[in-house]
Amino acid sequence: MGIKIQDVAYVRFGAPDLDSMEAFLAEFGMARCQRFNGRLYMRGLDEDPYLHVTHQGEPGFLAAGLEAASIEDLETLAREESVSIDSLDGPGGGFVVKLTDPNGFHIEVIAGRTRVSSIELTPRLPGNDAYGTPRLNAVKRVARGPSHVKRLGHCVLNVKNFRESEAWYKSRFGLITSDEINLGSPEQAFGAFLRCDRGNIPSDHHTLFLLGTGNPGFNHAAYEVADFDDLMCGHDWLKEKGRHHEWGVGRHVLGSQIFDYWRDPWGHTLEHWTDGDLLDAAWGSHRATIQEALRSQWGPPPPSTMGS
Ligand SMILES: [Fe+2]
């Protein structure tokens, strides 16, 4: 039963002003792929035609898109869920199976989007540090400007009942627990970082993070940037532009990534991250404490507003 999704593809939001959203996302490090019929599609460096979609309208989180391995997998899912396969409306076309999770979140499982040409980064010089000094007779200069968003890495959802949502997502999409957060015993699970089962092909430590807050809502979506310098350049850029900084810069414990969280003009939280864990299916599943989930290896503690 179910299929094995390969990654998260995009998040959809509503916003009343596409100009303002595009200006923010450009400063965040994405580029316009297309804008038409009241919809804005933004891309990153990779070949995905879009990673972020905005529909002109009331502000809010509308849907998350998950990438299936094939059209055949979409057919399997559609048959098991007794729903149709629709054309995916957006650059690159493709197909979609639309589902609604136990919290009322709209989940779009997609396949068959036509890829676009990737955008090349300028080559990076190696770093000199205590572990080695490979950069000789070459000066390092980092260009000021926005971060370079490569891809969407994960989406975090606050859910009504963690076990109910966990079962819903795992049974349909083959997700594996990387770290389950316990408040003392397995019966008191508060949430889990879930990764894609791609066999021996490593996946991000988490593609979906479900948090059993009891109050369903979008928590954040997280975009991978080029590297640590790139994340810090983007931090300065967004700060200079007067954008709303939420939390960071720091290094998480679970997932290990260096993070920096920002809010869009309507308060949706988007994360920049780099240097996260990549784990294959054999890495298995682990348990962690709420302290490990919230604590950073370095960096400031989370603000009370984080995740709401
Ligand atoms: Fe995150």
Side-chain angles (χ1 to χ4, degrees):
M1 290 285 283
I3 63 170
K4 290 182 175 175
I5 61 143
Q6 302 296 296
D7 207 348
V8 59
Y10 54 80
V11 279
R12 282 186 199 273
F13 297 94
D17 182 346
L18 296 188
D19 288 337
S20 295
M21 185 62 105
E22 184 171 350
F24 168 77
L25 292 172
E27 289 165 12
F28 188 79
M30 286 185 240
R32 183 203 289 196
C33 178
Q34 279 186 29
R35 184 169 157 177
F36 62 96
N37 288 345
R39 292 187 186 187
L40 170 66
Y41 294 88
M42 299 293 284
R43 63 167 292 180
L45 300 173
D46 281 359
E47 295 175 342
D48 306 301
Y50 50 94
L51 311 169
H52 185 294
V53 188
T54 311
H55 296 216
Q56 189 157 23
E58 289 294 307
F61 172 65
L62 299 180
L66 304 176
E67 191 94 43
S70 63
I71 304 286
E72 291 71 35
D73 274 6
L74 276 196
E75 289 168 351
T76 300
L77 190 63
R79 193 171 54 244
E80 289 179 357
E81 299 289 333
S82 302
V83 296
S84 60
I85 300 180
D86 298 322
S87 292
L88 183 57
D89 187 19
F95 298 93
V96 58
V97 167
K98 294 179 180 169
L99 303 174
T100 303
D101 88 350
N103 306 282
F105 294 130
H106 298 297
I107 302 299
E108 303 177 0
V109 185
I110 67 158
R113 286 191 300 177
T114 303
R115 303 293 173 195
V116 292
S117 299
S118 61
I119 299 168
E120 294 298 314
L121 286 168
T122 48
R124 180 176 58 176
L125 293 171
N128 290 333
D129 56 28
Y131 295 94
T133 54
R135 193 178 77 251
L136 302 172
N137 294 326
V139 297
K140 180 151 187 161
R141 298 289 181 268
V142 180
R144 295 187 66 77
S147 295
H148 295 80
V149 166
K150 174 178 165 59
R151 54 184 280 271
L152 175 60
H154 61 263
C155 183
V156 181
L157 299 173
N158 299 335
V159 300
K160 204 163 41 186
N161 177 311
F162 164 62
R163 286 293 184 214
E164 175 191 42
S165 289
E166 179 197 30
W168 192 88
Y169 283 94
K170 280 185 164 177
S171 64
R172 283 161 180 80
F173 307 137
L175 295 164
I176 307 171
T177 295
S178 292
D179 285 294
E180 179 174 294
I181 302 161
N182 290 139
L183 300 173
S185 72
E187 297 73 44
Q188 295 173 287
F190 181 61
F193 294 87
L194 306 174
R195 71 181 184 281
C196 295
D197 180 357
R198 305 198 296 195
N200 59 8
I201 300 171
S203 291
D204 293 319
H205 170 271
H206 52 289
T207 295
L208 184 67
F209 178 22
L210 300 173
L211 268 171
T213 61
N215 187 20
F218 172 78
N219 186 306
H220 70 269
Y223 292 88
E224 184 177 4
V225 298
D227 63 8
F228 184 51
D229 271 321
D230 194 58
L231 183 140
M232 292 307 296
C233 280
H235 178 93
D236 286 350
W237 192 255
L238 287 161
K239 206 157 69 177
E240 279 174 27
K241 300 295 180 187
R243 296 302 182 180
H244 182 155
H245 186 237
E246 179 66 15
W247 181 24
V249 176
R251 188 184 277 277
H252 283 306
V253 176
L254 305 176
S256 307
Q257 78 270 30
I258 296 171
F259 63 84
D260 195 25
Y261 293 88
W262 295 85
R263 297 237 181 203
D264 81 5
W266 294 273
H268 311 113
T269 304
L270 301 184
E271 176 186 358
H272 277 155
W273 64 270
T274 186
D275 194 21
D277 296 329
L278 285 166
L279 311 167
D280 64 20
W283 191 76
S285 300
H286 302 259
R287 291 221 174 98
T289 63
I290 188 78
Q291 288 77 21
E292 287 173 303
L294 292 175
R295 216 180 52 215
S296 303
Q297 301 192 53
W298 51 260
S304 60
T305 50
M306 182 60 209
S308 59

